[in-house]
């Protein structure tokens, strides 16, 4: 007795249903994927800034000179590690050694990430320490309060 020949595989209808299910799942996952990408962009920019702060501190100690990390907002934002308060814009137009700029970072490398502060941090040559913000500095005691009572 002969058995009828049967083909293995999927029908067109089964393939269309499988593709529709995959499309629905992808459309549900896409918003969370975009937010994950945004978090990774911010994390990458923060890690790069942290590494450059460490670089500035290390170079200040190693070279026995003050180092500044100077940030500038704009489009795109940028910051640089420099000596003697050099201008970050000089990094793009001249030799780093003559401009005093050791390292420059542009916001164009980090799409969809903004920098909201024009600021600078100076690391001293002796210990590589940055001064505390004015609000965090302890104020000296008045002369009368500094003397112990007999």
């Amino acid at each position: 007795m002969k058995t009828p020949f049967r083909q293995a595989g999927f029908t067109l209808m089964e393939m269309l249903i499988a593709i529709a299910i995959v499309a629905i799942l992808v459309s549900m996952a896409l918003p969370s994927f975009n937010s994950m990408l945004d978090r990774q962009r911010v994390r990458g920019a923060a890690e790069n800034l942290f590494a450059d702060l460490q670089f500035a501190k290390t170079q200040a100690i190693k070279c026995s000179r003050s180092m500044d990390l100077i940030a500038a907002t704009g489009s795109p934002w940028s910051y640089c590690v420099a000596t003697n308060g050099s201008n970050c814009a000089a990094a793009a137009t001249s030799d780093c050694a003559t401009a005093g700029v050791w390292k420059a970072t542009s916001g164009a490398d980090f799409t969809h990430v903004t920098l909201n502060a024009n600021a600078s941090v100076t690391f001293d040559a002796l210990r590589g320490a940055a001064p505390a913000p004015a609000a965090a500095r302890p104020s000296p005691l008045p002369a009368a309060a500094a003397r112990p009572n007999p």
Side-chain angles (χ1 to χ4, degrees):
M1 182 156 55
K2 237 177 176 185
T3 59
F5 179 70
R6 196 164 174 181
Q7 284 186 315
F10 298 106
T11 65
L12 180 61
M13 187 57 75
E14 290 171 333
M15 288 298 284
L16 289 175
I17 290 172
I19 290 172
I21 290 172
V22 168
I24 291 170
L25 292 175
V26 167
S27 68
M28 289 172 36
L30 198 57
S32 64
F33 183 71
N34 285 336
S35 66
M36 190 238 358
L37 282 177
D38 290 340
R39 284 192 309 272
Q40 287 302 108
R41 287 181 187 124
V42 171
R43 179 176 287 150
E47 287 173 355
N48 196 56
L49 177 60
F50 179 74
D52 289 342
L53 283 166
Q54 292 295 329
F55 173 77
K57 180 178 179 177
T58 304
Q59 289 302 108
I61 296 168
K62 180 179 171 186
C63 298
S64 298
R65 66 169 80 174
S66 294
M67 288 290 210
D68 303 317
L69 187 129
I70 306 161
T73 60
S75 182
W77 55 267
S78 64
Y79 66 85
C80 66
V81 176
T83 57
N84 304 326
S86 298
N87 185 1
C88 281
T93 59
S94 65
D95 183 30
C96 288
T98 58
V101 176
W102 289 59
K103 191 173 187 181
T105 301
S106 172
D109 299 335
F110 303 99
T111 56
H112 305 291
V113 177
T114 58
L115 181 67
N116 293 327
N118 284 329
S120 66
V121 177
T122 302
F123 295 94
D124 71 10
L126 185 59
R127 295 174 300 173
R137 289 188 188 133
S139 58
L141 291 174
R147 291 188 206 121
N149 289 337

